[in-house]
């Protein structure tokens, strides 16, 4: 007999190998167990060089088909085989087993995993195709006294059992009396042992044996419970409990005893330990503090290991921030492509299209640098977070400063031959970008050389978690980088504000002013919020500020131009520019 489930396929294939059966059909019942068995037995047959003649799957709904449909399904396989393995799940088939059994041919050898339901009515029993079937079943120990009980059980001994009386009536040809429906005219000394195997099988099935085990376990548990209750009951008949003489009850685990003021030492109060402390014994006088990497459970009697936590890509907040960063990066790339496509139009050429390209590329890197703050921190990512953030934002803000100066020079310096006009034509404002970026690189280099960022753990912000964060290393250096960036933004805002009243055709001074106002507002708001948060929220706040300020620059500067290019294409040409200028002059006159 095979062990339950695990070695069923091995036992069946070993039987095939023993009898040299190399052409075997497979019939399984529909369901998870059936398909799992099919996969296991085919793999084992392949290893033993045994071929599968055919595979049939019996759906659970087969029992509702007509007899002809069942016969047609089970006997007309494409490759006949003399040996067929039949596997079914007794939990789901109910009595479909007998329905199948009536229509199978008798000259085959059947190998199955359990006994089929007996033909209770006795029909076709002699010609039943499952005579001589090879059954793999679970081995059960013999139940003590079961056979003796079966041999002696009768309705007269158990008159309250109506099922037993009905079973006797059907199988021993008894009759019923009219008044009380009692059995009469039964053969003498009748016993269940007389019945053939198809009517009553003395062998216990798996289900019956499991029921026996369950009932036995419940009875044994009830017996133990009642026995313990009897032992715990106080004995009467002159015996008494030992009297208690205590001033205060014992302090349980998780509590410590505090002496009552003005009372003897045996009189005390029990107070619970703090959230980070525990007491693992009774009547302790002091709580034990848990290590930093552990926390006390609810009962305050055990220290548990804290779990590691950081802003990860699997976290919903991390997913949302990463998706936003990638979406804005793609949007920036699309705007860049749109500007390159219309690079020869006055709208794009105004205010130096090269600076527009530089600003769009730097904004794309601003969005991407926020991804460095998401995921498990390491030494490299901690260093790249701050240096990349400082440099790419410096490039973006210095580019805006260069664009703003270009706007002012373009509208203020118009007299020919003047030195400032030569400065504008030579592209000198573009030098602002590398100069400002070099200064920021110098600040970051000093920061990284003196006190670079490093991996740190926060064990106090959250009770059950250790938060892995990037320590700035030097807050002074961080604020210097942020302050320098703020001074560039403030300078750009001031210059753009002074140029806000210049002619507005293709003049983006107003948009630059508003964009720097949004940029400065985001980072001024960032500072107090950043210092009031801890853990993942602090990192998420920094990522949000990066995305919000970059999106503000992108939207305020480039959204109006994209609107004109996509929805007002007639205004991006030189003729449209002249028509608009002429119409404005006509209105003023």
């Amino acid at each position: 007999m095979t062990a339950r489930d695990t070695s069923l396929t091995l036992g069946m294939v070993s039987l095939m190998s023993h009898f040299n059966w190399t052409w075997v059909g497979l019939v399984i019942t529909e369901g998870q167990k059936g398909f799992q068995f099919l996969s296991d037995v085919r793999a084992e047959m392949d290893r033993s060089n045994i071929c599968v003649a055919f595979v049939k799957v019996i759906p659970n709904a087969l029992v509702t088909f007509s007899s002809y449909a069942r016969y047609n399904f089970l006997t007309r396989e494409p490759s006949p085989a003399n040996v067929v393995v039949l596997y079914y799940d007794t939990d789901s088939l109910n009595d479909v087993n007998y329905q199948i059994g009536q229509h199978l041919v008798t000259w085959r050898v059947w190998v199955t995993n359990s006994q089929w339901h007996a033909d209770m009515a006795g029909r076709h029993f002699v010609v039943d195709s499952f005579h001589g079937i090879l059954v793999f079943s679970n081995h059960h120990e013999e139940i003590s006294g079961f056979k003796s009980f079966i041999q002696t059980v009768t309705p007269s001994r158990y008159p309250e059992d109506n099922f037993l009386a009905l079973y006797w009536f059907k199988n021993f040809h008894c009759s019923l009396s009219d008044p009380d429906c009692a059995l009469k005219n039964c053969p003498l000394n009748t016993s269940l042992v007389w019945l053939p195997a198809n009517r009553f099988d003395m062998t216990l099935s798996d289900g019956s044996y499991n029921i026996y085990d369950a009932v036995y376990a419940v009875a044994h548990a009830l017996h133990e419970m009642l026995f313990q209750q009897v032992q715990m009951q106080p004995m009467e008949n002159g015996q008494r409990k030992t009297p208690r003489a205590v001033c205060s009850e014992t302090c349980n685990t998780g509590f410590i005893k505090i002496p009552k003021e003005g009372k003897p030492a045996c009189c005390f109060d029990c107070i619970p330990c703090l959230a980070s402390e525990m007491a693992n014994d009774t009547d302790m006088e002091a709580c034990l503090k848990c290590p930093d990497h552990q926390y006390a459970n609810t009962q305050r009697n055990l220290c548990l290991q804290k779990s590691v936590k950081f802003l990860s890509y699997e976290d919903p907040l991390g997913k949302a921030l990463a998706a936003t960063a990638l979406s804005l990066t793609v949007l920036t790339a699309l705007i860049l492509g749109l500007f390159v496509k219309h690079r020869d139009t006055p709208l794009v050429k105004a205010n130096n299209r090269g600076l527009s390209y530089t600003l769009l590329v730097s904004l794309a890197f601003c969005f991407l640098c926020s991804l460095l703050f998401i995921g498990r921190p390491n030494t490299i990512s901690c260093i790249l977070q701050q240096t990349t953030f400082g440099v790419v934002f410096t490039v973006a803000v210095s580019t805006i400063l260069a664009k703003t100066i270009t706007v002012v020079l373009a509208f203020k310096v118009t007299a020919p031959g003047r030195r400032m006009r030569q400065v504008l034509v030579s592209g000198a404002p573009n030098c602002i970008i590398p100069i400002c970026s070099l200064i920021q690189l110098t600040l970051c280099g000093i920061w990284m050389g003196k006190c670079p960022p490093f991996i740190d753990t926060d064990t106090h912000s959250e009770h059950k978690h250790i938060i892995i964060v990037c320590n700035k290393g030097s807050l002074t250096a961080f604020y210097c980088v942020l302050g320098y960036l703020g001074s560039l933004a403030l300078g750009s805002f001031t210059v753009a504000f002074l140029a806000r009243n210049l002619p507005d055709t293709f003049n983006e001074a107003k948009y630059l002013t508003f964009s720097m106002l949004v940029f400065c507002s985001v980072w001024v708001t960032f500072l107090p919020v950043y210092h009031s948060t801890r853990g993942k929220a602090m990192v998420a706040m920094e990522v949000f500020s990066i995305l919000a300020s970059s999106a503000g620059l992108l939207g305020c500067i480039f959204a109006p131009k994209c609107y004109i290019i996509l929805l007002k294409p007639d205004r991006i040409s030189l003729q449209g520019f002249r028509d608009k200028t002429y119409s404005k002059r006509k209105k003023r006159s």
Side-chain angles (χ1 to χ4, degrees):
M1 298 301 178
T2 64
R4 197 178 300 264
D5 290 334
T6 56
S7 57
L8 178 62
T9 56
L10 181 61
M12 288 186 173
V13 176
S14 298
L15 180 68
M16 299 175 198
S17 300
H18 177 75
F19 289 108
N20 292 323
W21 293 335
T22 59
W23 187 247
V24 179
L26 299 177
V27 178
I28 65 168
T29 55
E30 185 179 34
Q32 182 180 0
K33 291 185 179 179
F35 289 122
Q36 182 62 48
F37 171 79
L38 177 62
S39 175
D40 295 342
V41 77
R42 293 190 76 161
E44 191 65 32
M45 289 172 69
D46 288 342
R47 284 191 286 268
S48 301
N49 296 323
I50 299 174
C51 300
V52 178
F54 61 88
V55 176
K56 293 291 184 180
V57 179
I58 304 174
N60 288 335
L62 183 63
V63 72
T64 64
F65 296 167
S66 64
S67 297
Y68 176 76
R70 289 192 296 268
Y71 178 82
N72 186 51
F73 177 78
L74 295 170
T75 60
R76 295 187 180 181
E77 65 281 344
S79 301
N82 292 336
V83 178
V84 178
V85 172
L86 189 56
Y87 178 89
Y88 69 97
D89 180 8
T90 56
D91 295 337
S92 62
L93 281 185
N94 299 326
D95 59 350
V96 71
N97 310 321
Y98 163 66
Q99 300 288 343
I100 297 170
Q102 295 185 29
H103 300 281
L104 297 180
V105 293
T106 60
W107 44 266
R108 284 180 175 159
V109 176
W110 297 90
V111 182
T112 185
N113 60 317
S114 186
Q115 292 184 351
W116 292 74
H117 292 184
D119 180 7
M120 300 306 294
R123 297 171 297 176
H124 311 293
F125 178 69
V126 177
V127 295
D128 187 359
S129 58
F130 290 99
H131 276 290
I133 189 172
L134 299 177
V135 179
F136 281 77
S137 61
N138 300 300
H139 176 69
H140 303 301
E141 296 292 337
E142 183 177 349
I143 299 176
S144 176
F146 178 71
K147 287 187 177 180
S148 175
F149 170 78
I150 292 299
Q151 291 171 354
T152 58
V153 64
T154 60
S156 60
R157 295 188 63 179
Y158 301 96
E160 71 282 356
D161 193 339
N162 295 328
F163 175 78
L164 192 60
L166 180 61
Y167 196 80
W168 233 257
F169 172 75
K170 288 185 176 181
N171 289 278
F172 292 104
H173 308 291
C174 301
S175 59
L176 299 174
S177 60
D178 293 333
D180 53 358
C181 294
L183 290 175
K184 64 179 183 178
N185 299 327
C186 294
L188 297 176
N189 300 325
T190 54
S191 173
L192 292 175
V193 183
W194 293 9
L195 298 176
N198 69 312
R199 297 291 185 89
F200 186 84
D201 192 354
M202 295 283 290
T203 304
L204 281 181
S205 65
D206 290 348
S208 299
Y209 200 85
N210 290 338
I211 293 174
Y212 165 77
D213 282 343
V215 173
Y216 186 86
V218 172
H220 185 74
L222 289 174
H223 175 76
E224 282 294 320
M225 183 180 68
L226 293 174
F227 182 72
Q228 291 180 6
Q229 288 179 351
V230 170
Q231 285 185 326
M232 294 174 63
Q233 289 179 353
M235 298 192 63
E236 299 179 356
N237 300 327
Q239 296 186 3
R240 297 181 304 172
K241 291 182 178 180
T242 303
R244 290 179 57 82
V246 294
C247 179
S248 299
E249 295 294 334
T250 300
C251 291
N252 295 325
T253 57
F255 293 82
I256 57 172
K257 59 182 184 180
I258 302 297
K260 292 183 178 180
E261 189 175 354
K263 298 285 185 179
C266 56
C267 298
F268 49 84
D269 292 322
C270 297
I271 63 171
C273 294
L274 299 177
S276 59
E277 298 177 341
M278 66 94 180
N280 57 2
D281 201 357
T282 57
D283 285 340
M284 291 186 64
E285 296 182 353
C287 295
L288 303 177
K289 186 174 179 61
C290 293
D292 288 340
H293 62 279
Q294 294 181 344
Y295 69 97
N297 62 349
T298 307
Q299 292 76 24
R300 304 287 192 269
N301 58 6
L302 184 65
C303 289
L304 303 176
Q305 186 70 31
K306 290 183 178 181
S307 60
V308 175
K309 193 176 182 182
F310 53 90
L311 184 62
S312 66
Y313 287 100
E314 289 76 20
D315 189 272
L317 182 59
K319 287 181 180 179
L321 292 173
T324 303
L326 293 175
S327 300
L328 291 173
T329 304
V330 173
L331 178 62
T332 306
L334 292 176
I335 295 175
L336 178 60
L338 186 66
F339 270 55
V340 172
K341 182 178 179 181
H342 297 85
R343 61 185 176 276
D344 295 326
T345 60
L347 178 65
V348 177
K349 293 170 67 176
N351 308 117
N352 196 325
R353 65 185 172 191
L355 291 178
S356 297
Y357 296 161
T358 304
L359 179 57
L360 285 170
V361 173
S362 63
L363 287 178
F365 280 103
C366 288
F367 292 130
L368 290 176
C369 80
S370 64
L371 299 178
L372 294 171
F373 294 81
I374 306 174
R376 189 184 183 96
N378 55 63
T379 303
I380 296 177
S381 66
C382 288
I383 293 176
L384 288 179
Q385 283 178 9
Q386 307 306 325
T387 55
T388 306
F389 159 74
V391 172
V392 297
F393 266 88
T394 299
V395 173
V397 176
S398 60
T399 303
I400 295 176
L401 179 59
K403 287 174 71 68
T404 308
I405 294 176
T406 301
V407 171
V408 173
L409 293 178
F411 283 95
K412 294 293 185 180
V413 186
T414 57
R418 296 184 61 177
R419 182 178 300 176
M420 292 302 295
R421 180 179 178 85
Q422 295 177 359
V423 172
L424 177 63
V425 174
S426 64
N430 296 352
C431 297
I432 295 175
I433 301 174
I435 294 174
C436 294
S437 301
L438 184 61
I439 296 174
Q440 186 69 284
L441 276 173
T442 304
L443 292 176
C444 291
I446 296 174
W447 180 9
M448 297 302 121
K450 294 292 184 179
C451 191
F454 58 90
I455 301 175
D456 198 5
T457 56
D458 182 2
T459 59
H460 304 290
S461 296
E462 296 190 20
H463 179 56
K464 298 181 180 180
H465 302 285
I466 298 176
I467 303 173
I468 302 179
V469 295
C470 285
N471 192 302
K472 295 293 187 294
S474 172
L475 281 177
T476 302
F478 174 70
Y479 288 129
C480 286
V481 170
L482 207 59
Y484 175 70
L485 192 60
S487 64
L488 288 178
L490 186 61
S492 300
F493 172 76
T494 303
V495 176
F497 181 78
L498 295 176
R500 70 190 186 282
N501 293 324
L502 295 176
D504 61 350
T505 301
F506 298 156
N507 173 26
E508 56 183 357
K510 293 181 179 179
Y511 304 137
L512 294 174
T513 304
F514 189 67
S515 67
M516 297 317 300
L517 181 62
V518 172
F519 183 86
C520 294
S521 299
V522 169
W523 288 105
V524 168
T525 307
F526 162 79
L527 293 175
V529 177
Y530 181 79
H531 283 285
S532 63
T533 55
R534 290 290 182 272
K536 290 198 308 181
M538 182 175 64
V539 180
M541 182 61 198
E542 191 167 358
V543 175
F544 176 78
S545 299
I546 292 174
L547 296 177
S549 58
S550 303
L553 297 179
L554 181 67
C556 294
I557 297 174
F558 293 99
K561 296 183 179 181
C562 292
Y563 171 78
I564 295 174
I565 292 175
L566 296 175
L567 301 179
K568 302 287 184 179
D570 54 310
R571 292 175 54 185
I572 65 175
S573 63
L574 185 59
Q575 183 63 37
F577 168 73
R578 290 173 177 171
D579 293 342
K580 183 180 178 182
T581 304
Y582 175 75
S583 62
K584 285 189 175 181
R585 290 177 179 175
K586 188 175 181 181
K587 288 180 181 179
R588 291 175 183 173
S589 62

